Structure formats: C-alpha cells, structure tokens
C-alpha cells in the first residue's frame, strides 16, 4: 500500500510541477493586467509621457488633414474659420481636456474591473460653455482691432488705440486710457460702421445713432460701452444655446451616441467579460492551485531537504522563464505597431495613436518583466541554497529550518508576483522639468526653452512687445528660463540717452519721447522694463513673487532668471529677500568649470531658482555673472539668413551655452518668428552651433514663443540627449 502511494506521488509530481509553473505565470499575468490595463493611473501616465494633450493642439488640430473635422466640431461657435485653431485653447483649454479624459478613463477601467455593470461615458459641458464667453470676447476684440486698416491721415493711430480699448472692454477690464482725436464727419461714420459689425443685425440700426454721435463728439467711452456688451452677450448666448441643443443639455452622453454607431463599444464589452473571468475565477483559482502544487512538490519530494528546496526553486524559476518568454513573444508580435490606423486618417493622428499604443504595450510588458525577474530571483535563491547545502560539508541546516526557508521564499515570490506589478504599474514616475527622463541629467546637460525679454508682453501692454502671454502663462507654456531687464524709472534726461542705444527706430524714438511724459509719468521703485520704462513696465517685486508662487505650485521644476541688470547687486538681493525667494535660490559652485548637479539633486534640495546677471557677480553667492558660467551667440540678426554661431559674450569654453534665436528689426519681428521658431529651424540651428562649438545648447532664447514650435524642438533635444 505504501509503495503504491509512493509511486502515485512520483507520477503526480510532474503534473504538480507543470501546474505550479502555469499557475505562477498566470498570477504574474493577471497581476500585471490589474496594475496596468485596469488602473486609471497607468493610462493617465501614458497620456502624459507621450505629451498627448500638447500634441493634440500643436500637431493634430493644425494638421491640414484634420482641419475639416476641427471646423465641423466648432462650426456652432462664434469663430471664423481662419481663427479656429488659434482660439481652440480658449474653448477647450488643456486642463479642461485633461479633466474630461480622466473621467472617461476612470469610468472605463471601473467597468472593466466590474465595479459597475453599465458603462456611461459623459462629458460635463459647463466648463466649455463658460469658455465660450471668453472666446466671444476675444473674437469681438479681434474685430474691433481690424478697423486699424483705415487709410485716413492720423486715423490709423486713433483706431489702433480704439482697438486696444475695445479689447479691454470686451474682456471686462476698464481700459487704462481712451484714445482721443477730433474726427471728421466721414471718419466718425467710418468708425461707427466698423464697430457695428460686431453686434447683431437687428441691433445695429438702434445703436448706430448713439455710437455715431459719441464718436462724432470724441466720446469713445460711450461708443464702446454701447457696442461691447451687445457683441459679447449675443454671441455667447447663441453659441451656448446651440451646443446645449446639440447634446441635449449641459451633459453630453457619449455612450448613447457610440451605441448607435454600429455598436462601437462591442470590443469593450467583450474585454469586460474576459477581465471579469480573470479576476473573479482565474486569478483566485491559480493562486489556490499554485500554492497546493508547490506544497505537494515539497511534501512529495526527496528525503533530503536540500533537494526539495532545489525542486521548488526550479518550479519558480520555470514560472519566471515562462513569463519572460511570453513577454519576448509579445514584444516580437508588436514590433510593427499595436494599432493599425486607416490610411485615410491624418498623419498626425496616426502617429499619436501609434505612440500611445506602443507606450501602453511597453508599460504592460515592462511590468510583466518585473514579475518574471522576481520569480527567477526567488527560484535562483532556492536552487543556490539547495546546491550549497548538498555540496558544502561545512553547511548544516536543520530540516525544520529548511521548511521555513522554503515556505518563506516561495511565499515571498508569490506575493511579489502579485504585489510588485501593482507597485510597478501604479508608482508615479519621478518627473523633473516635466519629464521622467531628465532627473538624472545635469543642469548643464539639458536644453531649456528661454523667453527673451520675458517681461515685455502684449498682456502687460508694452510698446513693441516681444512676447504675448504674461510671465506665469509663459512658464505654463513650457518656458524654464526667463531673460528679464531690471530698471529704475528713468528721469527725463535719461530717456533720450537710453533710446539712443535701444532697438527702436529713430522715428519710433521720437514718437515715444513725445508721448511718455504726457501718458506715463515717473514712478518710484524697481521695475522690469525694455529699454524705456515709460514704454512698458511691470513691478519687479510682484513679478518675482509671481515666479516664486509658480515654483511652489510646481515642486518638480527648476527656473532660471538671466537678468540684464541696470539695478545694483545689493538692491537686487534685497528685492529677492522682500519677494520671499531666499529659500528657493540656488548657489552655483564658485568654480565655473565645475559640473552642475543633476536636476533631481537640485529639486530634492529645494533650491530651484537659478539667478544670473549680465553685469554683476555677487556679492550674494546665488547671484553670479552669467558670462563666467556661460557663453552665447550674437543676437542682432536682421534676417534668418544672418543667423550664425560665432562667439559673442562669454567666449567659447563655458559649460552653459545660450543660443539667441530671434530676429531684431527695429525691435522684435513677429513675422520672422513664424520662420525661425519652427521646430525644424530651431533644431537645425542648435545642431549646427553644437557641432561648431562642441558643447550642448542649454538655453534656446526666442521671441514670440507662442508662435511656431520652439518648445517641441527643446523637448526633442532633451529626448536626443
């Protein structure tokens, strides 16, 4: 009888071994799926790592093949076709899009996990409807500004100021000053006709007398007050009503639309059946059978405990090997892509879908690989201990301790198979400067998008602005280095002197001199200006506080200030202390040739604000002269063809490299920015200058950073490195 039992155990051992191997591999697969495909965080990370939201605006929606769809989507909004893509972020800003996507991801993954039996994908349109009002205001401002094309003498200047005032009114902000000009009767009629273009047809006749009389008498405020509210409110009301009518209210039920289109959700319903079976039946059964099979292998093994340990080790290692082979097979099967998109799809859409699919598969297989390594390591440990036990005469292990070791290692391996993929799938990747790839890169090894004359903005009403959004918006748009100019408000005798050395043309210098004393009297304190404070200025202390607030709200970013300093170093240090930034200031190594720390180290230290000066060098340890640490290219290029890489300030042997990449023609050139700020143009010049200098470019300084794709070029540079 006993011999028969022994023979039966021997026959069952291969079966138990196979069951154990298969169950271990199944546990690895189900744990991987639960921590990746069934985890909302996994899908959100894939979207973020592939910059899906930015690519939607910067690539997909400006793709010529996508424009017909984009126009159709926004056909009911008060936006002309030419302004569709430029105004899209007003209607659907990135943060709103992200919130919508996160909600759908959570709904789908919850459905697949069996948390609810029905699938309901919905979009809350209330943020969109609110944003439509902003779009209507912008549209109204653009229309009013278009009257600047009038050819009458002195009339264009008047209408230019009128357009600025109209923009302010449309945005709900009292204009800082209203234009004045004694208009002829014909000019008043022309201005009235232009302004009335923005109001509904049925309101024009009623408003015309009021607007015309106001303009005829020079009362611009009354004319704007009559026109602005009518234009904004009517367009907003009609747009929101059309959107609500299309989707049946403030909530759009996507599921209902998809279910009526050839059952587009059928694959998702089938996937739920599989995941429900895997989680509810397969995974618990595999865990039970796996433990039972391993226990049977132990109790039915050879009399020597060492050989039993080795048997369990080979089973776990085989399970890890099987998991690894499945990973290899899956990688080979997905080499040519994961999702086949129709040939009719625009190239930008196909590339985005392919990148998202590839990134998701890579994440799943990487997590499965972690599980395979755990099994292999546990199996190798048991085999090594068993082998050492059988071959090493000095090694003595009691049988009871061998059993405890076997149970402990096997249990840890199975637990690791289940829990490690969860940890690998859910752990947030460390991000530095917006990327998980830059944390271990030195500050002097990365590229940073740099805003030239960052304070000189359209938003802050500078004369001849070189950027459009204000500084916080620039940081939100990916800028990580700001070139700023510090000044005290100039006395009358200083104005002419500064203007002579400025980039303004002689004619513009004369116009500024004639106007500044009348409209912009001197002010106390320290300011950020561009050549002449009376041509545009923002307070230095409030702006520094703004930068500090942004840094504290973004704890994984480093920001650099390159200061053209017309303010003394001691006064500057006091201003940074007044702004409450001393805890953020990074002190560079006194030796400029010393390597810079990794971004991760800087972020961990909390010292994430680097400040350079063009003139000063101390006395504060954090306030160093840029040209001791960095070099640059020239900056006075009048055409794109003039751009070179020849040495300028800072020589040729510094660790930091500033590329001045903008055109100056009596000030900034918005038109040329459309050429030099393209991704290809930036990359071509960076690569050329890097080859010529033998050093990586660290700061790519541009004007009008929202034109072109300089940010995409900088991201590509960091990916290359």
């Amino acid at each position: 009888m006993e011999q028969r039992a022994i023979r039966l155990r021997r026959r069952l051992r291969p079966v138990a071994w196979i069951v154990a191997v298969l169950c271990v591999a199944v546990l690895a697969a189900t744990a991987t799926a639960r921590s990746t495909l069934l985890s909302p965080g996994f899908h959100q990370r894939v979207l973020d790592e592939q910059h899906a939201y930015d690519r939607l605006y910067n690539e997909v929606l400006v793709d010529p093949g996508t424009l017909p769809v984009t126009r159709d989507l926004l056909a009911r909004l008060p936006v002309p076709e030419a302004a569709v893509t430029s105004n899209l972020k007003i209607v659907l800003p990135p943060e709103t899009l992200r919130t919508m996507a996160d909600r759908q991801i959570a709904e789908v993954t919850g459905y697949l996990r069996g948390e609810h039996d029905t699938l309901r994908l919905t979009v809350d349109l209330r943020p969109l409807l609110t944003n439509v009002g902003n779009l209507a205001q912008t549209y109204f401002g653009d229309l009013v500004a278009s009257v600047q094309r009038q050819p009458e003498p002195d009339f264009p200047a008047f209408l230019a100021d009128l357009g600025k005032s109209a923009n302010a009114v449309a945005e709900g902000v009292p204009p800082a000053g209203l234009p004045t000009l004694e208009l002829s009767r014909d000019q008043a009629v022309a201005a009235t006709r232009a302004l009335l273009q923005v109001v509904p047809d049925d309101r024009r006749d009623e408003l015309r007398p009021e607007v015309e009389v106001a303009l005829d008498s020079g009362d611009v405020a009354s004319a704007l007050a009559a026109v602005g509210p009518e234009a904004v409110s009517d367009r907003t009301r009609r747009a929101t009503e059309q959107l609500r009518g299309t989707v049946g209210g403030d909530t759009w039920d996507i599921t209902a639309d998809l279910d009526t289109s050839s059952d587009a959700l059928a694959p998702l319903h089938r996937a739920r059946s599989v995941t429900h079976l895997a989680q509810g039946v397969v995974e618990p059964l595999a865990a039970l059978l796996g433990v039972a099979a391993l226990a049977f292998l132990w109790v039915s093994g050879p009399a020597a405990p060492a050989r039993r340990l080795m048997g369990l080790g080979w089973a776990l290692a085989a399970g890890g090997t099987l998991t690894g082979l499945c990973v290899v097979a899956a990688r080979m099967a997905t080499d040519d892509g994961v999702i086949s998109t129709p040939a009719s799809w625009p190239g930008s859409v196909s590339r985005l879908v392919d990148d998202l699919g590839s990134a998701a598969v890579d994440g799943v297989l990487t997590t499965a690989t972690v599980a395979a390594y755990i099994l292999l390591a546990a199996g190798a440990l048991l085999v090594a201990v068993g082998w050492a036990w059988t071959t090493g005469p000095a090694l003595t292990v009691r049988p009871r301790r061998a059993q405890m070791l076997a149970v402990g290692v096997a249990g840890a391996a199975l637990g690791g198979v289940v829990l490690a993929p969860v940890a690998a799938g859910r752990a947030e990747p460390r991000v530095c400067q917006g990327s998980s790839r830059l944390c271990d890169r030195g500050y002097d090894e990365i590229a940073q998008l740099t805003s030239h004359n960052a304070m000189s903005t359209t938003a802050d009403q500078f004369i001849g602005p070189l950027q459009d959004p204000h500084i916080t918006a620039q940081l939100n748009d990916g800028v990580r280095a700001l070139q700023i100019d510090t000044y005290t408000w100039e006395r009358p005798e200083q104005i002419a002197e500064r203007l002579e050395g400025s980039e303004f043309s002689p004619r513009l210098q004369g116009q500024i001199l004639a106007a500044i004393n009348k409209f912009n009297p001197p002010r106390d304190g320290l300011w950020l200006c561009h050549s002449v404070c009376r041509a545009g200025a923002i307070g230095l202390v409030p702006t520094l506080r703004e930068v500090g607030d942004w840094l504290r709200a973004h704890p994984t970013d480093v920001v650099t200030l390159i200061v053209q300093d017309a303010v003394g170093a001691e006064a500057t240090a006091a201003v940074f202390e007044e702004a409450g930034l001393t805890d953020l200031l990074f002190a560079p190594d006194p030796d400029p040739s010393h390597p810079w720390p990794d971004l991760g180290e800087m972020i961990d230290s909390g010292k994430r604000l680097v400040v350079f000066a063009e003139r000063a060098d101390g006395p504060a340890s954090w306030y160093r002269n840029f040209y001791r640490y960095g070099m640059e290219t020239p900056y006075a290029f009048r055409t794109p063809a003039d751009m070179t890489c020849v040495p300028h300030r800072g020589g040729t042997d510094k660790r930091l490299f500033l590329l001045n990449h903008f055109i100056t023609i009596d000030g900034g050139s918005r038109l040329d920015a459309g050429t030099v700020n393209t991704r290809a143009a930036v990359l071509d010049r960076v690569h050329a200058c890097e080859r010529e200098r033998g050093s990586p470019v660290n700061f790519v300084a541009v004007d009008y950073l929202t034109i072109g794709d300089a940010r995409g070029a900088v991201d590509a540079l960091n990916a290359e490195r």
Side-chain angles (χ1 to χ4, degrees), residues 173-407:
V173 179
L178 293 175
T180 58
L181 182 69
E182 185 176 346
L183 298 177
S184 68
R185 178 64 179 170
D186 290 342
Q187 288 174 336
V189 171
T192 300
R193 187 185 309 114
L195 286 179
L196 289 178
Q197 294 300 314
V198 302
V199 303
D201 292 343
D202 58 356
R203 295 285 296 150
R204 292 178 186 176
D205 289 340
E206 182 178 345
L207 290 173
R208 180 174 284 104
E210 179 182 354
V211 175
E212 191 172 304
V213 169
L215 291 176
D216 195 21
S217 61
D219 187 358
V220 178
S222 297
L224 290 174
V227 169
E230 291 288 342
V232 175
S233 62
D234 181 72
R235 292 184 177 277
T236 302
R237 177 184 55 78
R238 287 190 284 112
T240 54
E241 286 178 356
Q242 289 170 343
L243 278 175
R244 285 193 178 99
T246 299
V247 301
D250 289 339
T251 301
W252 176 22
D253 188 348
I254 304 175
T255 312
D257 290 344
L258 291 177
D259 278 337
T260 60
S261 59
S262 304
D263 199 12
L265 297 176
L268 196 60
H269 298 321
R270 289 194 294 269
R272 183 180 187 273
S273 301
V274 174
T275 57
H276 186 70
L277 179 65
Q279 290 188 110
V281 179
V282 175
E283 188 174 30
L285 184 60
L288 180 62
L289 290 177
V291 171
L294 291 173
F296 179 80
L297 289 174
W298 175 264
V299 299
S300 64
R307 295 182 65 82
R308 294 186 184 185
L309 283 179
M310 294 177 69
L312 288 185
W314 286 116
L316 292 176
T321 301
L322 179 59
T323 303
L325 290 174
C326 291
V327 171
V328 172
R331 288 197 182 277
M332 293 176 62
T334 56
D335 274 347
D336 296 330
V338 182
I339 302 174
S340 298
T341 56
S344 59
W345 282 22
S348 59
V349 178
S350 297
R351 287 190 296 272
L352 178 58
V353 171
D354 183 63
D355 289 346
L356 290 174
S358 297
V361 169
D362 185 67
V364 172
L365 296 184
T366 299
T367 304
T369 302
V370 172
Y373 279 138
I374 291 174
L375 292 170
L376 285 169
L381 176 62
L382 288 178
V383 171
V385 171
W387 177 82
W389 191 357
T390 58
T391 58
L395 181 64
T396 58
V397 180
R398 295 179 182 177
R400 185 172 184 82
R401 291 183 179 178
Q403 293 178 8
M404 294 175 62
L405 176 63
V407 170

Side-chain angles (χ1 to χ4, degrees), residues 23-101:
C23 288
V24 166
V26 168
L27 284 174
T30 56
T32 297
R34 186 175 60 252
S35 58
T36 54
L37 299 177
L38 302 181
S39 169
F42 171 77
H43 298 282
Q44 291 161 352
R45 285 195 303 277
V46 168
L47 290 172
D48 288 339
E49 290 171 0
Q50 294 302 310
H51 305 289
Y53 301 106
D54 291 332
R55 290 173 66 179
L56 178 66
Y57 294 109
N58 299 334
E59 297 176 18
V60 174
L61 294 173
V62 297
D63 189 323
T66 312
L67 286 181
V69 179
T70 309
R71 292 190 181 108
D72 182 63
L73 289 174
L74 298 180
R76 295 176 177 84
L77 298 179
V79 189
E81 280 193 2
V84 168
T85 53
S86 62
N87 286 312
L88 188 63
K89 280 191 176 182
I90 298 176
V91 180
L92 187 60
E95 58 272 18
T96 301
L97 185 62
R98 183 185 297 273
T99 299
M100 291 178 175

